[in-house]
mmCIF file of all heavy atoms in Angstrom:
data_model
loop_
_atom_site.group_PDB
_atom_site.id
_atom_site.type_symbol
_atom_site.label_atom_id
_atom_site.label_comp_id
_atom_site.label_asym_id
_atom_site.label_seq_id
_atom_site.Cartn_x
_atom_site.Cartn_y
_atom_site.Cartn_z
ATOM 1 N N ASN A 1 -1.452 1.147 -6.153
ATOM 2 C CA ASN A 1 -0.920 -0.048 -6.800
ATOM 3 C C ASN A 1 0.468 -0.373 -6.253
ATOM 4 O O ASN A 1 0.791 -1.544 -6.003
ATOM 5 C CB ASN A 1 -0.869 0.181 -8.304
ATOM 6 C CG ASN A 1 -0.892 -1.088 -9.092
ATOM 7 O OD1 ASN A 1 -1.242 -2.128 -8.579
ATOM 8 N ND2 ASN A 1 -0.533 -0.993 -10.356
ATOM 9 N N HIS A 2 1.277 0.647 -6.075
ATOM 10 C CA HIS A 2 2.616 0.471 -5.520
ATOM 11 C C HIS A 2 2.540 -0.112 -4.110
ATOM 12 O O HIS A 2 3.253 -1.061 -3.780
ATOM 13 C CB HIS A 2 3.353 1.806 -5.506
ATOM 14 C CG HIS A 2 4.677 1.765 -4.833
ATOM 15 N ND1 HIS A 2 5.792 1.261 -5.439
ATOM 16 C CD2 HIS A 2 5.061 2.154 -3.601
ATOM 17 C CE1 HIS A 2 6.815 1.343 -4.607
ATOM 18 N NE2 HIS A 2 6.392 1.886 -3.490
ATOM 19 N N VAL A 3 1.662 0.444 -3.275
ATOM 20 C CA VAL A 3 1.524 -0.016 -1.894
ATOM 21 C C VAL A 3 1.003 -1.454 -1.854
ATOM 22 O O VAL A 3 1.485 -2.276 -1.078
ATOM 23 C CB VAL A 3 0.589 0.931 -1.102
ATOM 24 C CG1 VAL A 3 0.226 0.347 0.252
ATOM 25 C CG2 VAL A 3 1.235 2.292 -0.945
ATOM 26 N N LYS A 4 0.048 -1.755 -2.708
ATOM 27 C CA LYS A 4 -0.563 -3.081 -2.720
ATOM 28 C C LYS A 4 0.420 -4.164 -3.146
ATOM 29 O O LYS A 4 0.433 -5.262 -2.593
ATOM 30 C CB LYS A 4 -1.757 -3.069 -3.673
ATOM 31 C CG LYS A 4 -2.499 -4.370 -3.761
ATOM 32 C CD LYS A 4 -3.676 -4.248 -4.713
ATOM 33 C CE LYS A 4 -4.394 -5.563 -4.876
ATOM 34 N NZ LYS A 4 -5.496 -5.449 -5.841
ATOM 35 N N HIS A 5 1.270 -3.861 -4.116
ATOM 36 C CA HIS A 5 2.148 -4.885 -4.680
ATOM 37 C C HIS A 5 3.593 -4.804 -4.200
ATOM 38 O O HIS A 5 4.408 -5.638 -4.595
ATOM 39 C CB HIS A 5 2.113 -4.820 -6.205
ATOM 40 C CG HIS A 5 0.757 -5.103 -6.758
ATOM 41 N ND1 HIS A 5 0.198 -6.354 -6.726
ATOM 42 C CD2 HIS A 5 -0.172 -4.298 -7.325
ATOM 43 C CE1 HIS A 5 -1.003 -6.318 -7.261
ATOM 44 N NE2 HIS A 5 -1.256 -5.075 -7.638
ATOM 45 N N LYS A 6 3.901 -3.845 -3.346
ATOM 46 C CA LYS A 6 5.270 -3.725 -2.835
ATOM 47 C C LYS A 6 5.727 -4.973 -2.073
ATOM 48 O O LYS A 6 6.867 -5.408 -2.241
ATOM 49 C CB LYS A 6 5.395 -2.485 -1.957
ATOM 50 C CG LYS A 6 6.802 -2.199 -1.544
ATOM 51 C CD LYS A 6 6.901 -0.911 -0.765
ATOM 52 C CE LYS A 6 8.338 -0.655 -0.384
ATOM 53 N NZ LYS A 6 8.462 0.577 0.377
ATOM 54 N N PRO A 7 4.869 -5.598 -1.228
ATOM 55 C CA PRO A 7 5.317 -6.825 -0.543
ATOM 56 C C PRO A 7 5.667 -7.970 -1.494
ATOM 57 O O PRO A 7 6.398 -8.878 -1.124
ATOM 58 C CB PRO A 7 4.117 -7.209 0.323
ATOM 59 C CG PRO A 7 3.340 -5.974 0.499
ATOM 60 C CD PRO A 7 3.561 -5.172 -0.756
ATOM 61 N N LEU A 8 5.176 -7.903 -2.710
ATOM 62 C CA LEU A 8 5.465 -8.956 -3.687
ATOM 63 C C LEU A 8 6.710 -8.652 -4.518
ATOM 64 O O LEU A 8 7.027 -9.381 -5.447
ATOM 65 C CB LEU A 8 4.261 -9.131 -4.618
ATOM 66 C CG LEU A 8 2.945 -9.498 -3.928
ATOM 67 C CD1 LEU A 8 1.795 -9.463 -4.911
ATOM 68 C CD2 LEU A 8 3.064 -10.849 -3.263
ATOM 69 N N GLY A 9 7.393 -7.534 -4.208
ATOM 70 C CA GLY A 9 8.620 -7.205 -4.908
ATOM 71 C C GLY A 9 8.491 -6.130 -5.969
ATOM 72 O O GLY A 9 9.436 -5.852 -6.694
ATOM 73 N N PHE A 10 7.328 -5.503 -6.075
ATOM 74 C CA PHE A 10 7.119 -4.451 -7.070
ATOM 75 C C PHE A 10 7.864 -3.188 -6.650
ATOM 76 O O PHE A 10 7.705 -2.704 -5.543
ATOM 77 C CB PHE A 10 5.622 -4.166 -7.186
ATOM 78 C CG PHE A 10 5.295 -3.088 -8.183
ATOM 79 C CD1 PHE A 10 5.435 -3.331 -9.532
ATOM 80 C CD2 PHE A 10 4.861 -1.856 -7.764
ATOM 81 C CE1 PHE A 10 5.129 -2.351 -10.459
ATOM 82 C CE2 PHE A 10 4.557 -0.876 -8.676
ATOM 83 C CZ PHE A 10 4.695 -1.120 -10.023
ATOM 84 N N ARG A 11 8.700 -2.646 -7.552
ATOM 85 C CA ARG A 11 9.465 -1.441 -7.243
ATOM 86 C C ARG A 11 9.343 -0.415 -8.359
ATOM 87 O O ARG A 11 10.241 0.381 -8.586
ATOM 88 C CB ARG A 11 10.930 -1.800 -7.066
ATOM 89 C CG ARG A 11 11.195 -2.738 -5.939
ATOM 90 C CD ARG A 11 12.631 -3.123 -5.860
ATOM 91 N NE ARG A 11 13.485 -2.051 -6.324
ATOM 92 C CZ ARG A 11 14.783 -2.030 -6.256
ATOM 93 N NH1 ARG A 11 15.399 -3.059 -5.773
ATOM 94 N NH2 ARG A 11 15.486 -1.028 -6.702
ATOM 95 N N GLY A 12 8.262 -0.387 -9.067
ATOM 96 C CA GLY A 12 8.135 0.391 -10.281
ATOM 97 C C GLY A 12 8.030 1.888 -10.170
ATOM 98 O O GLY A 12 8.388 2.595 -11.094
ATOM 99 N N TYR A 13 7.526 2.457 -9.075
ATOM 100 C CA TYR A 13 7.234 3.884 -9.055
ATOM 101 C C TYR A 13 8.081 4.692 -8.097
ATOM 102 O O TYR A 13 7.870 5.868 -7.948
ATOM 103 C CB TYR A 13 5.769 4.115 -8.696
ATOM 104 C CG TYR A 13 4.817 3.554 -9.707
ATOM 105 C CD1 TYR A 13 3.946 2.539 -9.377
ATOM 106 C CD2 TYR A 13 4.817 4.033 -11.009
ATOM 107 C CE1 TYR A 13 3.080 2.022 -10.307
ATOM 108 C CE2 TYR A 13 3.956 3.512 -11.951
ATOM 109 C CZ TYR A 13 3.089 2.509 -11.589
ATOM 110 O OH TYR A 13 2.243 2.000 -12.509
ATOM 111 N N ASN A 14 8.991 4.101 -7.397
ATOM 112 C CA ASN A 14 9.714 4.826 -6.366
ATOM 113 C C ASN A 14 11.072 5.304 -6.880
ATOM 114 O O ASN A 14 12.082 4.648 -6.709
ATOM 115 C CB ASN A 14 9.886 3.949 -5.128
ATOM 116 C CG ASN A 14 10.156 4.771 -3.902
ATOM 117 O OD1 ASN A 14 10.151 5.990 -3.953
ATOM 118 N ND2 ASN A 14 10.404 4.110 -2.806
ATOM 119 N N PHE A 15 11.071 6.485 -7.503
ATOM 120 C CA PHE A 15 12.295 7.097 -8.007
ATOM 121 C C PHE A 15 12.409 8.501 -7.418
ATOM 122 O O PHE A 15 12.061 9.483 -8.072
ATOM 123 C CB PHE A 15 12.281 7.172 -9.538
ATOM 124 C CG PHE A 15 12.185 5.833 -10.200
ATOM 125 C CD1 PHE A 15 11.012 5.457 -10.832
ATOM 126 C CD2 PHE A 15 13.243 4.956 -10.183
ATOM 127 C CE1 PHE A 15 10.907 4.220 -11.449
ATOM 128 C CE2 PHE A 15 13.152 3.718 -10.800
ATOM 129 C CZ PHE A 15 11.982 3.350 -11.433
ATOM 130 N N PRO A 16 12.871 8.641 -6.173
ATOM 131 C CA PRO A 16 12.879 9.947 -5.522
ATOM 132 C C PRO A 16 13.761 10.984 -6.213
ATOM 133 O O PRO A 16 13.489 12.177 -6.126
ATOM 134 C CB PRO A 16 13.379 9.665 -4.112
ATOM 135 C CG PRO A 16 13.818 8.265 -4.071
ATOM 136 C CD PRO A 16 13.352 7.577 -5.301
ATOM 137 N N LEU A 17 14.780 10.568 -6.928
ATOM 138 C CA LEU A 17 15.651 11.536 -7.598
ATOM 139 C C LEU A 17 15.018 12.105 -8.865
ATOM 140 O O LEU A 17 15.464 13.127 -9.379
ATOM 141 C CB LEU A 17 16.992 10.891 -7.925
ATOM 142 C CG LEU A 17 17.808 10.453 -6.714
ATOM 143 C CD1 LEU A 17 19.089 9.780 -7.167
ATOM 144 C CD2 LEU A 17 18.107 11.620 -5.799
ATOM 145 N N MET A 18 13.969 11.461 -9.360
ATOM 146 C CA MET A 18 13.284 11.964 -10.544
ATOM 147 C C MET A 18 12.335 13.118 -10.222
ATOM 148 O O MET A 18 12.022 13.921 -11.085
ATOM 149 C CB MET A 18 12.474 10.842 -11.199
ATOM 150 C CG MET A 18 13.309 9.856 -11.965
ATOM 151 S SD MET A 18 14.179 10.604 -13.340
ATOM 152 C CE MET A 18 12.842 10.925 -14.456
ATOM 153 N N PHE A 19 11.877 13.204 -8.978
ATOM 154 C CA PHE A 19 10.904 14.224 -8.620
ATOM 155 C C PHE A 19 11.420 15.639 -8.851
ATOM 156 O O PHE A 19 10.721 16.448 -9.483
ATOM 157 C CB PHE A 19 10.436 14.040 -7.171
ATOM 158 C CG PHE A 19 9.366 14.998 -6.773
ATOM 159 C CD1 PHE A 19 8.111 14.927 -7.353
ATOM 160 C CD2 PHE A 19 9.612 15.985 -5.849
ATOM 161 C CE1 PHE A 19 7.121 15.816 -7.002
ATOM 162 C CE2 PHE A 19 8.632 16.879 -5.493
ATOM 163 C CZ PHE A 19 7.378 16.791 -6.065
ATOM 164 N N PRO A 20 12.635 16.011 -8.393
ATOM 165 C CA PRO A 20 13.111 17.371 -8.693
ATOM 166 C C PRO A 20 13.231 17.628 -10.193
ATOM 167 O O PRO A 20 12.918 18.725 -10.669
ATOM 168 C CB PRO A 20 14.479 17.445 -8.027
ATOM 169 C CG PRO A 20 14.488 16.360 -7.028
ATOM 170 C CD PRO A 20 13.557 15.301 -7.529
ATOM 171 N N TYR A 21 13.640 16.630 -10.948
ATOM 172 C CA TYR A 21 13.743 16.774 -12.392
ATOM 173 C C TYR A 21 12.374 17.052 -13.015
ATOM 174 O O TYR A 21 12.236 17.906 -13.890
ATOM 175 C CB TYR A 21 14.351 15.508 -12.997
ATOM 176 C CG TYR A 21 14.292 15.476 -14.497
ATOM 177 C CD1 TYR A 21 15.157 16.252 -15.261
ATOM 178 C CD2 TYR A 21 13.349 14.691 -15.154
ATOM 179 C CE1 TYR A 21 15.090 16.234 -16.641
ATOM 180 C CE2 TYR A 21 13.279 14.665 -16.524
ATOM 181 C CZ TYR A 21 14.147 15.440 -17.270
ATOM 182 O OH TYR A 21 14.068 15.431 -18.627
ATOM 183 N N ILE A 22 11.362 16.326 -12.568
ATOM 184 C CA ILE A 22 10.001 16.507 -13.096
ATOM 185 C C ILE A 22 9.474 17.890 -12.756
ATOM 186 O O ILE A 22 8.876 18.568 -13.592
ATOM 187 C CB ILE A 22 9.073 15.402 -12.565
ATOM 188 C CG1 ILE A 22 9.466 14.059 -13.175
ATOM 189 C CG2 ILE A 22 7.618 15.717 -12.859
ATOM 190 C CD1 ILE A 22 8.809 12.872 -12.530
ATOM 191 N N VAL A 23 9.703 18.348 -11.525
ATOM 192 C CA VAL A 23 9.232 19.676 -11.111
ATOM 193 C C VAL A 23 9.900 20.762 -11.943
ATOM 194 O O VAL A 23 9.230 21.674 -12.442
ATOM 195 C CB VAL A 23 9.485 19.893 -9.605
ATOM 196 C CG1 VAL A 23 9.232 21.332 -9.213
ATOM 197 C CG2 VAL A 23 8.609 18.960 -8.783
ATOM 198 N N VAL A 24 11.202 20.679 -12.120
ATOM 199 C CA VAL A 24 11.913 21.683 -12.916
ATOM 200 C C VAL A 24 11.466 21.624 -14.375
ATOM 201 O O VAL A 24 11.226 22.657 -15.003
ATOM 202 C CB VAL A 24 13.440 21.480 -12.799
ATOM 203 C CG1 VAL A 24 14.196 22.328 -13.800
ATOM 204 C CG2 VAL A 24 13.903 21.802 -11.389
ATOM 205 N N SER A 25 11.309 20.427 -14.900
ATOM 206 C CA SER A 25 10.885 20.278 -16.287
ATOM 207 C C SER A 25 9.505 20.881 -16.521
ATOM 208 O O SER A 25 9.296 21.614 -17.491
ATOM 209 C CB SER A 25 10.875 18.796 -16.655
ATOM 210 O OG SER A 25 10.352 18.608 -17.935
ATOM 211 N N LEU A 26 8.563 20.605 -15.626
ATOM 212 C CA LEU A 26 7.218 21.154 -15.788
ATOM 213 C C LEU A 26 7.197 22.661 -15.553
ATOM 214 O O LEU A 26 6.396 23.372 -16.156
ATOM 215 C CB LEU A 26 6.240 20.438 -14.861
ATOM 216 C CG LEU A 26 5.920 18.993 -15.247
ATOM 217 C CD1 LEU A 26 5.064 18.337 -14.181
ATOM 218 C CD2 LEU A 26 5.242 18.934 -16.597
ATOM 219 N N SER A 27 8.063 23.153 -14.677
ATOM 220 C CA SER A 27 8.126 24.595 -14.441
ATOM 221 C C SER A 27 8.652 25.337 -15.664
ATOM 222 O O SER A 27 8.151 26.402 -16.014
ATOM 223 C CB SER A 27 9.043 24.896 -13.248
ATOM 224 O OG SER A 27 8.531 24.310 -12.086
ATOM 225 N N LEU A 28 9.651 24.766 -16.307
ATOM 226 C CA LEU A 28 10.215 25.411 -17.485
ATOM 227 C C LEU A 28 9.318 25.279 -18.712
ATOM 228 O O LEU A 28 9.450 26.044 -19.665
ATOM 229 C CB LEU A 28 11.592 24.815 -17.798
ATOM 230 C CG LEU A 28 12.673 25.108 -16.773
ATOM 231 C CD1 LEU A 28 13.955 24.375 -17.149
ATOM 232 C CD2 LEU A 28 12.926 26.603 -16.650
ATOM 233 N N ARG A 29 8.419 24.322 -18.687
ATOM 234 C CA ARG A 29 7.534 24.100 -19.833
ATOM 235 C C ARG A 29 6.120 24.614 -19.591
ATOM 236 O O ARG A 29 5.184 24.172 -20.224
ATOM 237 C CB ARG A 29 7.465 22.614 -20.141
ATOM 238 C CG ARG A 29 8.757 22.081 -20.645
ATOM 239 C CD ARG A 29 8.651 20.612 -20.837
ATOM 240 N NE ARG A 29 9.697 20.168 -21.739
ATOM 241 C CZ ARG A 29 9.659 19.043 -22.389
ATOM 242 N NH1 ARG A 29 8.644 18.239 -22.260
ATOM 243 N NH2 ARG A 29 10.649 18.706 -23.175
ATOM 244 N N ASN A 30 5.965 25.539 -18.664
ATOM 245 C CA ASN A 30 4.620 26.023 -18.367
ATOM 246 C C ASN A 30 4.020 26.744 -19.563
ATOM 247 O O ASN A 30 4.731 27.256 -20.414
ATOM 248 C CB ASN A 30 4.615 26.893 -17.105
ATOM 249 C CG ASN A 30 5.329 28.207 -17.291
ATOM 250 O OD1 ASN A 30 5.183 28.854 -18.308
ATOM 251 N ND2 ASN A 30 6.094 28.599 -16.302
#
């Protein structure tokens, strides 16, 4: 969905700084 709508200005899913936070959060909540 991101790839399909990116040329139209969609920027909803690209948050690279959130990825380390998500990995650490899921690791601590295993």
Side-chain angles (χ1 to χ4, degrees):
N1 204 17
H2 174 79
V3 170
K4 181 179 177 182
H5 297 289
K6 187 176 181 180
L8 301 172
F10 180 71
R11 298 176 31 173
Y13 296 116
N14 201 4
F15 299 108
L17 296 178
M18 284 298 289
F19 184 67
Y21 171 75
I22 291 169
V23 170
V24 169
S25 174
L26 289 174
S27 298
L28 293 176
R29 292 176 160 200
N30 69 42

